[in-house]
């Protein structure tokens, strides 16, 4: 394996004053509609992009103040990236037209040639063909896979510039999608500066890799690797493909112990004498589907604890024995699991779970509490930054601390947020659709001796008019929905409930801005009046080098 190109940065992060280009960034309503539109359609785009279609003949064009301008598929245009938009795509404009173009892996200030690959009603998507001049704040990416892997798209962008861009994205979405005044955000101090992550590598406590029958090699490396045999890959899915895998020997986002285990498995799993076959997503034949590595921490010694989870198409422990024998010798490996998933889907959650070595769970601590993590548990992926995130959430609670208040925890997952504040509340009621997560939440409550927390399994997108009968009226509502945000039924329920405070924790600022608009300004076409005032928005960078942004928002009843 080739060594990383540069040393991994370490140490704290000190945000610089934004450069003039960032302060004066012109954001039009049209460009923001592009971001909002991409938020709504990204699932469909990801599905459609998996099909390989031949590229049509390309034509280079020169645009000179042509308006209106509508590019055709296959045309080549010269572009300059103005900013980063939803999912980390570069937002560009065709020179002299104002026409919006989105380009993956284009970064602010970069001048490049792009080929139009897809045309929408009010914007187009292009693929970068040739870079003319580099982007601002160019740095050397330390990961050898950074240019090809879909995970870390901005490793070659200075970290301070990454977080400035994320903060700007949140501001634009809150103004244009949430319909809040930029002047009010500034004057009332509602919009807080983004909180950076001071650990920018090796921060993930969970990584999932896929076994594959088709190894994906980037186009520019095809000639270099032509002489290599077409070995089965173990790594990450190539961007846009469900059936092709980029072989990965080391990932700079996961822990060192996890990387050592990954390297050991890479060394032996293809050995013909072990008769291990990767699962073929087309023929549905084969054995090995996924490899999941989870890193926890022994709460007594502080040492890393590693769980290795093999996801297979059937239960054949004798086939896994050579791998188990090898990796069980690693001192940090305390759990080796086997999830059996017989379905043809690509999920890593099995219908059966077997312990092949050690114990079925690993431990982690967060905000002074202990958590047992099973193979399929949801847990904050960046434990270090989760400590900071949860402290920011606690600062929004404003609980009296006398044990008199009721807390409603929606989308509670394994109960991490609700359990961290149970000691200050009278009772916490948590709701979550994933049954295993609810089981974990109850177990974690018992583990920490918390008796004033009730966790219920239920779909919050399908609540009925009697939902409020299951708990007393809360003083505080915490909602932490997944990327699609909250269903209109839940919005309506919260507007009728009128709890004194809502803390909205979001992993998708686009749908967060939409829901804040509903809660504060109402939904006129459904005769729903808003009744909350937005008090603060705190962006948090949980995942450096990726487009993901977390936000903590506080709303108070008007």
């Amino acid at each position: 394996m080739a060594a990383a190109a540069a040393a991994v940065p370490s140490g704290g992060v000190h945000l610089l004053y934004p450069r003039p280009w960032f302060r004066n960034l012109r954001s039009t309503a049209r460009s923001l509609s592009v971001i909002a539109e991409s938020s709504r359609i990204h699932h469909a785009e990801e599905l459609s992009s998996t099909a390989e279609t031949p590229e049509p003949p390309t034509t280079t064009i020169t645009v000179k103040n042509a308006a209106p301008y509508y590019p055709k598929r296959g045309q080549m245009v010269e572009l300059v990236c103005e900013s980063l938009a939803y999912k980390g795509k570069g937002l560009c404009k065709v020179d002299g037209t104002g026409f919006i173009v989105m380009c993956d892996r284009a970064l602010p200030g970069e001048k490049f040639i792009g080929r139009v690959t897809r045309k929408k009603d009010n914007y187009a998507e292009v693929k970068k063909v040739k870079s003319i001049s580099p982007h601002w704040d160019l740095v050397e990416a330390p990961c050898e896979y950074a240019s090809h892997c879909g995970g870390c798209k901005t490793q070659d962008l200075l970290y301070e510039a990454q977080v400035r861009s994320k903060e700007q994205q949140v501001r634009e979405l809150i103004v244009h999608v949430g319909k809040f005044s930029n002047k009010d955000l500034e004057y009332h101090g509602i919009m807080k500066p983004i909180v950076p992550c001071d650990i920018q590598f090796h921060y993930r406590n969970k990584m999932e890799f896929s076994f594959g029958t088709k190894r994906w090699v980037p186009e520019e490396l095809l000639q270099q690797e032509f002489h290599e045999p077409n070995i089965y890959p173990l790594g990450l899915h190539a961007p846009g493909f469900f059936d092709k895998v980029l072989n990965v020997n080391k990932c700079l986002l996961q822990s060192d112990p996890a990387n050592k285990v990954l390297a050991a498995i890479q060394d032996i799993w293809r050995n013909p004498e072990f008769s291990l076959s990767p699962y073929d997503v087309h023929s549905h034949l084969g054995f090995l589907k996924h490899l999941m590595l989870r890193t926890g921490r022994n709460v007594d010694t502080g040492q890393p604890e590693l769980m290795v989870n093999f996801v297979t198409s059937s239960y054949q422990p004798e086939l896994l024995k050579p791998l188990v024998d090898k990796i069980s010798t690693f001192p940090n490996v305390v759990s080796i699991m086997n999830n059996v998933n017989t379905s043809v889907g690509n999920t890593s959650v099995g219908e059966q779970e077997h312990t092949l070595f050690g114990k079925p769970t690993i431990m982690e601590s967060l905000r002074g509490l202990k958590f047992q993590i099973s193979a399929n548990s949801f847990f904050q992926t960046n434990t270090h930054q989760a400590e900071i995130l949860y402290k920011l959430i606690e600062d929004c609670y404003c609980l009296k601390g006398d044990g008199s208040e009721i807390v409603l925890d929606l989308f509670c997952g394994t109960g991490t947020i609700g359990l961290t504040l149970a000691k200050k509340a009278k009772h916490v009621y948590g709701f979550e659709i994933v049954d295993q997560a609810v089981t974990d939440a109850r177990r974690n409550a018992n583990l920490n001796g918390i008796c004033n927390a009730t966790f219920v399994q239920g779909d919050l997108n399908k609540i009925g008019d009697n939902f409020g009968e299951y708990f007393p009226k809360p003083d505080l509502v915490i909602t932490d929905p997944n990327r699609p945000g909250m269903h209109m039924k839940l919005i309506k329920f919260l507007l009728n409930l009128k709890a004194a405070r809502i803390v909205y924790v979001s992993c998708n600022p686009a749908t967060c801005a939409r829901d804040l608009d509903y809660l504060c300004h109402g939904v006129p076409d459904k005769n729903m009046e808003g009744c909350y005032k937005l008090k603060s928005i705190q962006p948090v960078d949980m995942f450096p080098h990726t487009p993901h942004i977390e936000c903590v928002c506080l709303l108070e009843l008007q």
Side-chain angles (χ1 to χ4, degrees), residues 24 148 166 191 209 271 303 340 393 408 440-441 525:
N24 300 327
H148 319 300
K166 291 183 178 183
M191 182 73 188
F209 303 95
N271 191 327
Q303 293 299 308
V340 179
I393 295 172
L408 177 61
D440 289 342
D525 61 346

Side-chain angles (χ1 to χ4, degrees), residues 348-369:
S348 59
V349 178
E351 305 106 19
Q352 306 169 32
E353 185 172 278
H354 304 274
T355 303
L356 304 179
F357 170 80
K359 54 186 183 177
T361 61
I362 56 177
M363 294 291 294
E364 187 54 275
S365 62
L366 187 61
R367 304 298 297 162
L369 299 179

Side-chain angles (χ1 to χ4, degrees), residues 48-114:
S48 63
S49 66
T50 59
E52 292 184 89
T53 56
E55 291 289 344
T58 60
T59 306
T60 303
I61 64 169
T62 302
V63 180
K64 294 183 178 179
N65 298 318
Y69 169 69
Y70 299 98
K72 295 181 180 180
R73 189 167 183 260
Q75 289 181 338
M76 306 281 277
V77 289
E78 184 176 302
L79 301 163
V80 175
C81 179
E82 295 194 359
S83 62
L84 294 182
Y86 181 73
K87 294 178 71 177
K89 291 187 176 182
L91 191 151
C92 318
K93 289 181 182 178
V94 178
D95 186 33
T97 69
F99 189 83
I100 300 296
V101 174
M102 308 294 287
C103 182
D104 201 19
R105 297 188 181 278
L107 296 171
E110 182 178 10
K111 188 176 183 180
F112 65 97
I113 300 293

Side-chain angles (χ1 to χ4, degrees), residues 257 260 303-307 329-335 362:
K260 291 177 181 177
Q303 293 299 308
E305 288 190 339
L306 197 67
M307 171 185 286
T329 61
F330 286 71
N332 296 120
V333 174
V334 298
S335 172
I362 56 177

Side-chain angles (χ1 to χ4, degrees), residues 198-425:
D198 59 5
I199 298 177
Q200 289 135 39
F201 291 91
H202 306 296
Y203 59 78
R204 286 190 65 97
N205 57 38
K206 174 186 174 185
M207 283 292 296
E208 183 179 312
F209 303 95
S210 295
F211 294 91
T213 56
K214 292 185 179 180
R215 184 185 183 194
W216 181 75
V217 179
E219 185 177 347
E220 57 269 34
L221 299 182
L222 278 175
Q223 294 301 319
Q224 300 178 26
E225 304 203 8
F226 183 76
H227 62 282
E228 289 192 6
N230 185 25
I231 61 172
Y232 290 144
L234 168 59
L236 301 171
H237 282 280
F241 295 97
F242 74 97
D243 59 347
K244 294 185 178 181
V245 175
L246 172 68
N247 195 68
V248 173
N249 294 312
K250 179 180 182 181
C251 178
L252 294 185
L253 295 189
Q254 69 177 356
S255 68
D256 285 330
N259 273 324
K260 291 177 181 177
V261 169
L262 174 62
I265 293 173
Q266 288 280 32
D267 283 343
I268 65 172
W269 80 273
R270 301 180 190 88
N271 191 327
E273 70 177 89
F274 298 147
S275 301
L276 291 168
S277 60
Y279 183 76
D280 189 317
V281 295
H282 294 288
S283 68
H284 308 302
L285 300 175
F287 180 60
L288 293 169
K289 286 189 169 184
H290 304 287
L291 169 68
M292 183 189 298
L293 302 175
R294 303 194 74 145
T295 305
R297 177 174 42 175
N298 185 306
V299 294
D300 296 322
T301 65
Q303 293 299 308
E305 288 190 339
L306 197 67
M307 171 185 286
V308 182
N309 179 26
F310 293 102
V311 182
T312 59
S313 60
S314 59
Y315 181 55
Q316 301 183 68
E318 68 280 1
L319 289 180
L320 292 174
K321 189 175 185 303
L323 297 178
V324 173
D325 290 344
K326 174 72 174 180
I327 60 180
S328 61
T329 61
F330 286 71
N332 296 120
V333 174
V334 298
S335 172
I336 302 178
M337 307 298 296
N338 178 203
N339 265 249
V340 179
N341 176 17
T342 62
S343 71
V344 298
N346 203 31
T347 179
S348 59
V349 178
E351 305 106 19
Q352 306 169 32
E353 185 172 278
H354 304 274
T355 303
L356 304 179
F357 170 80
K359 54 186 183 177
T361 61
I362 56 177
M363 294 291 294
E364 187 54 275
S365 62
L366 187 61
R367 304 298 297 162
L369 299 179
K370 299 177 183 178
F371 292 91
Q372 280 188 342
I373 305 170
S374 60
N376 298 316
S377 292
F378 171 80
F379 193 77
Q380 284 289 346
T381 314
N382 184 342
T383 309
H384 172 82
Q385 195 72 340
E387 287 277 356
I388 295 171
L389 176 70
Y390 281 30
K391 176 61 169 63
L392 294 169
I393 295 172
E394 287 180 25
D395 291 343
C396 291
Y397 291 156
C398 301
L399 290 178
K400 298 175 184 177
D402 59 0
S404 64
E405 295 164 293
I406 300 294
V407 176
L408 177 61
D409 187 4
L410 303 176
F411 309 95
C412 66
T414 55
T416 48
I417 295 179
L419 292 175
T420 56
L421 60 93
K423 59 185 176 183
K424 294 183 179 180

Side-chain angles (χ1 to χ4, degrees), residues 132-146:
I132 300 173
S133 59
H135 56 80
W136 295 306
D137 298 315
L138 176 67
V139 295
E140 185 177 2
C143 178
E144 62 182 301
Y145 309 108

